[in-house]
């Protein structure tokens, strides 16, 4: 968690990974995923790529699917990026750690400064980092999270100074902890569904462009999607899973 600022959401590229058949097979179920319609997931993945490239104007880099990595498309867990620095994570699940290899190479090819986790006993999933962490320009605070959720499964940034969070006690507890840990004022927007807080604020480098908020769409969380309309300073872009 870091100091809010105008640099939040600045980006020029998007990195995604194709959807493997194993995501919908027994391997995906063994990783704790619900039943999945593979054809639908692959179509939605294509739609996401199109929106990132055409609507947001980002340069899209797509890694091929890997059947040995059923959760490979969830790239948000593999790296934390701020500016020209990429921290390569070590996911909590040992089965997911090979996912970082392709991501590391892609980020190296983009010329980013790669930072590895030095403690081999430490673990980190990128979705447990809200805004930024371990970067020289930002103070770092630890936010306790109860239950099995990742931090970004409870709350996210709806803008440089706006936290969106679910209505569960775990989500509201995380928001209260953030408010107590920082001297910087954050506005907050409570959503009926925790899952709807899985959003991504983006400010592509298009002159005069309004910032975008990628949020969970598809009509499955209608009350939360209505609540997000209160964020009048962003263009809402519904996607199946915001974090790429």
């Amino acid at each position: 968690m870091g100091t809010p600022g105008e640099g939040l959401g600045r980006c020029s590229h998007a990195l995604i990974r194709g959807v493997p058949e194993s995501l919908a097979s027994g391997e995906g179920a063994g990783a704790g995923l619900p039943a999945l319609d593979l054809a639908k997931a692959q179509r939605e993945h294509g739609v996401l790529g199109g929106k990132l490239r055409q609507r947001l104007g980002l340069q899209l880099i797509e890694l091929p699917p890997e059947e040995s990595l059923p959760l490979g498309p969830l790239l948000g867990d593999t790296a934390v990026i701020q500016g020209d620095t990429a921290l390569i994570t070590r996911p909590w699940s040992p089965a997911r750690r090979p996912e970082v290899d392709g991501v590391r190479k892609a980020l190296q090819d983009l010329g980013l400064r790669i930072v590895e986790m030095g403690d081999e006993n430490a673990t980190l999933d990128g979705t447990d980092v809200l805004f930024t962490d371990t970067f020289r320009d930002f103070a770092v605070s630890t936010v306790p999270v109860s239950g099995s959720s990742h931090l970004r499964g409870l709350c996210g940034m709806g803008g440089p100074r706006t936290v969106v969070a679910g209505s569960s006690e775990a989500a509201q507890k995380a928001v209260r902890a953030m408010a107590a840990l920082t001297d910087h004022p954050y506005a907050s927007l409570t959503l009926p569904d925790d899952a709807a807080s899985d959003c991504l604020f983006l400010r592509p480098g298009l002159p005069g462009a309004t910032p975008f908020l990628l949020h969970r769409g598809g009509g499955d969380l209608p009350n939360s999607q209505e609540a997000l309309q209160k964020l009048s300073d962003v263009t809402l872009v519904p996607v199946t899973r915001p974090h790429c």
Side-chain angles (χ1 to χ4, degrees), residues 77-79 87-94 96-97 100 116-126:
D77 281 326
T78 60
L87 171 67
I88 303 300
T89 66
R90 181 180 292 111
W92 176 82
S93 170
R96 296 197 62 192
R97 293 176 191 170
V100 308
E116 305 282 353
M117 294 180 59
D119 185 349
E120 63 181 14
N121 295 315
T123 63
L124 176 67
D125 290 281

Side-chain angles (χ1 to χ4, degrees), residues 68-111:
S68 63
L69 304 175
L71 297 184
L74 307 182
L75 292 183
D77 281 326
T78 60
V80 180
I81 303 170
Q82 174 61 36
D84 64 352
T85 300
L87 171 67
I88 303 300
T89 66
R90 181 180 292 111
W92 176 82
S93 170
R96 296 197 62 192
R97 293 176 191 170
E99 295 174 21
V100 308
D101 296 336
V103 173
R104 180 190 293 107
K105 184 178 186 307
L107 298 178
Q108 286 175 329
D109 291 344
L110 285 174

Side-chain angles (χ1 to χ4, degrees), residues 15-240:
L15 178 65
I16 61 177
R17 192 198 299 271
V19 178
E21 294 183 6
S22 57
L23 186 60
S25 69
E27 293 182 62
L33 293 177
L36 183 73
D37 183 328
L38 178 63
K40 180 180 178 182
Q42 292 174 333
R43 287 195 304 271
E44 291 172 342
H45 180 79
V47 170
L48 171 62
K51 288 183 176 180
L52 292 169
R53 181 175 53 249
Q54 298 169 14
R55 187 167 182 183
L56 277 67
L58 300 175
Q59 296 186 49
L60 186 65
I61 301 169
E62 182 166 8
L63 301 178
E66 294 191 38
E67 294 303 327
S68 63
L69 304 175
L71 297 184
L74 307 182
L75 292 183
D77 281 326
T78 60
V80 180
I81 303 170
Q82 174 61 36
D84 64 352
T85 300
L87 171 67
I88 303 300
T89 66
R90 181 180 292 111
W92 176 82
S93 170
R96 296 197 62 192
R97 293 176 191 170
E99 295 174 21
V100 308
D101 296 336
V103 173
R104 180 190 293 107
K105 184 178 186 307
L107 298 178
Q108 286 175 329
D109 291 344
L110 285 174
L112 272 66
R113 184 174 72 95
I114 303 298
V115 177
E116 305 282 353
M117 294 180 59
D119 185 349
E120 63 181 14
N121 295 315
T123 63
L124 176 67
D125 290 281
T127 49
D128 279 322
V129 180
L130 179 59
F131 189 28
T132 58
D133 198 355
T134 70
F135 295 95
R136 57 181 176 271
D137 295 331
F138 303 104
V140 175
S141 300
T142 301
V143 179
V145 174
S146 58
S148 59
S149 295
H150 293 290
L151 178 59
R152 288 193 341 224
L154 300 173
C155 53
M157 297 304 294
R161 294 174 178 82
T162 302
V163 176
V164 295
S167 59
S168 71
E169 176 56 29
Q172 292 300 305
K173 184 177 180 180
V175 172
R176 292 193 295 270
M178 284 191 284
L181 289 167
T182 180
D183 295 328
H184 303 277
Y186 289 95
S188 62
L189 175 64
T190 299
L191 305 176
D193 308 283
D194 285 2
S197 64
D198 179 19
C199 58
L200 186 61
F201 177 79
L202 295 174
R203 191 186 280 117
L206 301 175
T210 302
F212 294 92
L213 187 71
L214 271 65
H215 67 95
R216 182 166 167 176
D220 55 340
L221 303 174
N223 294 331
S224 290
Q225 290 166 24
E226 182 178 353
L228 285 170
Q229 300 295 327
K230 297 176 182 178
L231 299 173
S232 58
D233 54 349
V234 297
T235 297
L236 298 175
V237 180
V239 295
T240 302

